[in-house]
Amino acid sequence: MTATLRWGLAAALIVWLGSMLVFLSYPKDASDLLLPAGSPHDDSPVTIAFMGTSLTSDAPWPDGVVERLAACVLQPVRALRFAQGGATSAWGVTQIEAVIAAVPDIVVMEFAINDADLRRGISWAASRDNHQVILTGLQQGLPNARIVLMTTNPAHGFRRLLRPRLPAYYGLYYQLAADHDAGLIDLTPRWLASPGLAQDLTDGIHPTDAAATSVVVPVVTAYFAKLLGKNCGS
């Protein structure tokens, strides 16, 4: 066996072990859904702003949520996306005024998956500070809106190795939600309970459209329905 082959096998083993460790590093309780402070929405049209990364900008699940939610609550529902590939919470700070100008009723954000990427240079403390700026800005500019933090899926393989502290960045959302009376949707336990998770994450981080629709849409739809004082299942 050549030295190159040995190094290749060693690297492959490290990647595999890293991807397996992710399944042991997240809480397995799938009941962590925290509602933000505020009163149920009235029967007027609903606007939802989705802030985040490519897991939001390039995915079909926000449209699926809006379609299913509108059918359940019998109200018009509109989705606005403030998201882009590679975005971090630092980019999210630059979007505060644009989100406020859109006057949404609900804002849901997910930046932790990219903040945790070593290549982005966003420390845990910087992620906390950026999110605090976003939450404070939105709550001041949109006093009647419901602001919700959302964890997304785990990473797998090499993408996981680039995010060694991903559980800590996801765990930050619990602290932020409590400190700012914000909501929380913790999707990570749902993903971990999904069979064939590695296959669902085709490149190690982006779920297939089918997987995202299956895992994300029912949970987020039911959560938003509760914000509107309705029951759409779970």
Side-chain angles (χ1 to χ4, degrees), residues 52-62 81 83-87 110 113-114 117 119-120 152-160 162-163 166 170 191 196-213 215-216:
T53 67
S54 59
L55 298 184
T56 293
S57 66
D58 301 336
W61 67 264
R81 300 198 199 201
Q84 67 177 26
E110 55 85 12
I113 190 80
N114 279 351
D117 189 328
R119 298 171 298 178
R120 310 297 180 190
T152 48
N153 50 273
H156 177 72
F158 181 68
R159 301 281 189 132
R160 167 59 176 150
L162 291 173
R163 297 164 171 82
L166 182 57
Y170 278 166
W191 282 109
L197 175 60
Q199 290 72 33
D200 290 340
L201 304 177
T202 54
D203 62 355
I205 198 168
H206 295 96
T208 64
D209 289 353
T213 298
V215 175
V216 179

Side-chain angles (χ1 to χ4, degrees), residues 42-232:
D42 58 25
D43 293 330
S44 59
V46 180
T47 298
I48 303 174
F50 295 89
M51 300 180 69
T53 67
S54 59
L55 298 184
T56 293
S57 66
D58 301 336
W61 67 264
D63 293 334
V65 167
V66 165
E67 181 179 355
R68 189 176 298 192
L69 182 64
C72 170
V73 302
L74 302 179
Q75 295 172 235
V77 181
R78 179 175 64 136
L80 301 175
R81 300 198 199 201
F82 299 85
Q84 67 177 26
T88 66
S89 58
W91 178 84
V93 170
T94 71
Q95 301 302 299
I96 295 173
E97 294 304 321
V99 175
I100 292 173
V103 197
D105 302 289
I106 300 170
V107 181
V108 59
M109 75 181 78
E110 55 85 12
F111 292 110
I113 190 80
N114 279 351
D115 280 9
D117 189 328
L118 295 174
R119 298 171 298 178
R120 310 297 180 190
I122 306 290
S123 68
W124 185 92
S127 180
R128 177 199 60 205
D129 294 345
N130 289 339
H131 279 90
Q132 288 177 336
V133 170
I134 297 171
L135 288 165
T136 299
L138 293 179
Q139 289 176 329
Q140 290 178 348
L142 298 167
N144 297 318
R146 315 293 283 277
I147 315 300
V148 181
L149 295 158
M150 185 177 76
T151 70
T152 48
N153 50 273
H156 177 72
F158 181 68
R159 301 281 189 132
R160 167 59 176 150
L161 294 181
L162 291 173
R163 297 164 171 82
R165 298 191 64 205
L166 182 57
Y169 283 77
Y170 278 166
L172 173 62
Y173 276 17
Y174 281 84
Q175 176 185 325
L176 290 166
D179 290 346
H180 291 267
D181 287 328
L184 173 68
I185 304 174
D186 186 0
L187 289 173
T188 304
R190 273 84 175 170
W191 282 109
L192 292 177
S194 176
L197 175 60
Q199 290 72 33
D200 290 340
L201 304 177
T202 54
D203 62 355
I205 198 168
H206 295 96
T208 64
D209 289 353
T213 298
S214 173
V215 175
V216 179
V217 171
V219 175
V220 177
T221 301
Y223 182 93
F224 287 164
K226 289 180 181 179
L227 293 186
L228 302 175
K230 304 294 177 64
N231 184 2
C232 293

